[in-house]
C-alpha cells in the first residue's frame, strides 16, 4: 500500500489499497458452465465476468442496458473478444430485470444458465469481499470504498476486526436506498447486520458517470475519484478524529483474474435477486 499526502488531511493518514473487487465478487459466484449477468455499456463487472469465462472455459452472456450501438465501445468490445455473448434490454425492460417475467424470458432464450445480479452483488459476493480486511497488514481505524450496488461495502464491513468501521461513498445520485441494500446483503450472507458501516451520499457529483474538474485526474473518475475527494473533504472538515488512519480501497483493477470459485453455499443459493 502507498500513503497519500495532502494538506487537507491534517493529522489524518490516508493509505491506498489497490484491489480488484470485481474478481472478489465473482470468486464464490461461479462454477456453472453458463453464466449470465447484467450491466451498462461500460460495465466493469461484465468485463471481469467475460475474462473469467475465457480463462476458465465457461460460457458468458452479458445483458446490456439500452440499445446496441456499433461499433462497440472498448468495454463491450473487450467482453466480446473474451467470448461473451451480448444481448440488450431497452431501459424500461432493464428496470424490470429482477422480475420473473424478464428472468423467465432470459432462461427461455439461453437455457440452463446461472443468473447473477447487476454488479454481481449477492450474498456470495459479500463473502468474497469480506476477505479483503484480513489482507491489510497495517493498523488502521476506517476503511473506505466507493459504492455502486453495495456488495463490496457489505462484505468489507462484515470482515472487519472489532473496533474498526467502514465508510462507503455512493457514486449514484439519490442513493439512500443503498443503506437498505447493504443491510439486506449482510443478512443474506451472514444472517445479521454488522452495524459498523455508513454511506456518504454527498459526493456523487451529479450521478453515476458524472465527473467534475474538482475530481483528481490521477484516479478512475466514475468511482474512485469521488471517494478520494470525499475523504479529503471530510478530513478537512474535521470529520475524522486527529490521528485517524484511513485505508481507501482503489477498486476495479482489471488485471486481477478470478483465481478460483465454488458453488455458493450457506444462505445463498445463487438465485438472482
Amino acid at each position: 500500500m502507498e500513503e497519500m499526502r495532502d494538506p487537507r488531511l491534517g493529522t489524518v493518514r490516508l493509505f491506498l489499497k489497490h484491489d480488484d473487487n470485481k474478481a472478489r465478487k465473482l470468486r464464490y459466484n461461479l462454477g456453472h458452465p453458463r453464466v449470465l449477468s447484467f450491466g451498462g455499456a461500460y460495465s466493469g463487472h461484465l468485463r471481469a465476468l467475460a475474462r473469467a469465462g475465457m480463462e476458465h472455459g465457461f460460457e458468458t452472456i452479458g445483458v446490456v442496458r439500452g440499445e446496441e450501438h456499433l461499433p462497440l465501445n472498448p468495454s463491450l468490445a473487450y467482453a466480446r473478444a473474451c467470448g461473451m455473448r451480448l444481448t440488450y434490454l431497452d431501459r424500461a425492460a432493464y428496470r424490470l430485470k429482477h422480475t420473473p417475467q424478464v428472468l423467465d424470458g432470459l432462461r427461455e432464450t439461453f437455457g440452463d444458465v446461472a443468473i447473477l445480479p447487476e454488479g454481481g452483488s449477492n450474498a456470495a459476493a459479500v463473502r468474497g469481499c469480506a476477505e479483503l480486511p484480513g489482507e491489510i497488514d497495517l493498523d488502521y481505524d476506517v476503511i473506505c470504498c466507493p459504492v455502486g450496488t453495495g456488495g463490496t461495502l457489505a462484505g468489507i464491513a462484515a470482515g472487519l476486526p472489532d473496533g474498526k468501521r467502514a465508510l462507503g461513498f455512493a457514486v449514484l445520485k439519490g442513493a439512500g436506498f443503498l443503506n437498505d441494500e447493504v443491510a439486506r446483503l449482510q443478512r443474506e450472507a451472514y444472517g445479521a447486520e454488522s452495524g459498523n458501516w455508513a454511506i456518504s451520499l454527498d459526493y456523487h457529483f451529479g450521478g453515476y458517470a458524472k465527473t467534475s474538474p474538482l475530481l483528481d485526474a490521477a484516479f478512475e473518475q466514475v468511482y474512485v475519484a469521488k471517494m478520494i475527494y470525499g475523504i479529503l473533504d471530510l478530513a478537512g472538515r474535521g470529520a475524522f478524529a486527529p490521528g485517524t488512519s484511513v485505508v481507501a480501497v482503489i477498486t476495479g483493477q482489471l488485471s486481477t483474474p478470478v483465481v478460483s470459485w465454488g458453488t455458493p453455499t450457506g444462505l445463498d443459493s445463487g438465485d438472482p435477486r
Side-chain angles (χ1 to χ4, degrees):
M1 281 191 290
E2 58 185 299
E3 184 170 3
M4 181 175 176
R5 308 281 186 176
D6 189 285
R8 287 169 287 184
L9 289 169
T11 63
V12 173
R13 300 187 70 186
L14 176 59
F15 299 90
L16 307 181
K17 176 175 175 54
H18 294 264
D19 190 84
D20 188 355
N21 64 315
K22 292 174 177 57
R24 290 186 187 276
K25 290 162 81 173
L26 286 174
R27 182 173 184 181
Y28 299 120
N29 256 313
L30 303 180
H32 195 282
R34 182 182 298 130
V35 181
L36 176 150
S37 195
F38 305 86
Y42 290 89
S43 171
H45 165 64
L46 291 184
R47 292 198 305 271
L49 177 61
R51 175 177 172 173
M54 176 185 68
E55 293 182 341
H56 298 292
F58 61 89
E59 294 180 50
T60 58
I61 301 160
V63 181
V64 183
R65 180 180 63 247
E67 306 296 329
E68 181 180 32
H69 294 284
L70 297 176
L72 295 175
N73 68 45
S75 293
L76 294 181
Y78 176 84
R80 177 169 284 176
C82 290
M84 175 172 274
R85 179 174 175 180
L86 299 177
T87 187
Y88 297 82
L89 287 177
D90 64 57
R91 292 178 182 274
Y94 193 88
R95 285 193 291 271
L96 302 174
K97 62 187 178 297
H98 60 288
T99 63
Q101 179 183 358
V102 172
L103 295 174
D104 290 347
L106 290 170
R107 290 192 174 94
E108 220 175 280
T109 300
F110 297 109
D112 184 18
V113 61
I115 299 180
L116 304 184
E118 185 175 37
S121 288
N122 58 11
V126 171
R127 288 195 290 275
C129 292
E131 296 174 348
L132 187 153
E135 300 172 9
I136 299 175
D137 57 0
L138 59 83
D139 191 22
Y140 65 94
D141 303 292
V142 182
I143 185 166
C144 297
C145 68
V147 182
T149 56
T152 300
L153 177 62
I156 287 174
L160 285 177
D162 290 342
K164 304 188 187 303
R165 58 192 177 94
L167 176 61
F169 290 84
V171 301
L172 310 171
K173 186 177 181 180
F177 70 93
L178 285 170
N179 286 293
D180 290 337
E181 186 66 6
V182 171
R184 178 186 69 81
L185 286 166
Q186 287 194 331
R187 290 194 302 271
E188 291 186 357
Y190 298 108
E193 301 168 33
S194 62
N196 57 353
W197 55 272
I199 302 176
S200 173
L201 305 175
D202 300 327
Y203 298 101
H204 54 75
F205 286 86
Y208 185 78
K210 301 292 186 182
T211 61
S212 165
L214 294 173
L215 297 176
D216 192 330
F219 296 99
E220 182 274 328
Q221 297 285 291
V222 176
Y223 290 92
V224 176
K226 294 177 180 180
M227 171 188 65
I228 295 296
Y229 183 94
I231 293 170
L232 295 176
D233 186 61
L234 290 174
R237 296 169 181 266
F240 299 110
T244 296
S245 290
V246 178
V247 172
V249 179
I250 310 301
T251 56
Q253 310 305 303
L254 292 176
S255 61
T256 305
V258 181
V259 295
S260 63
W261 65 76
T263 302
T265 57
L267 295 171
D268 186 69
S269 66
D271 292 333
R273 293 177 175 80

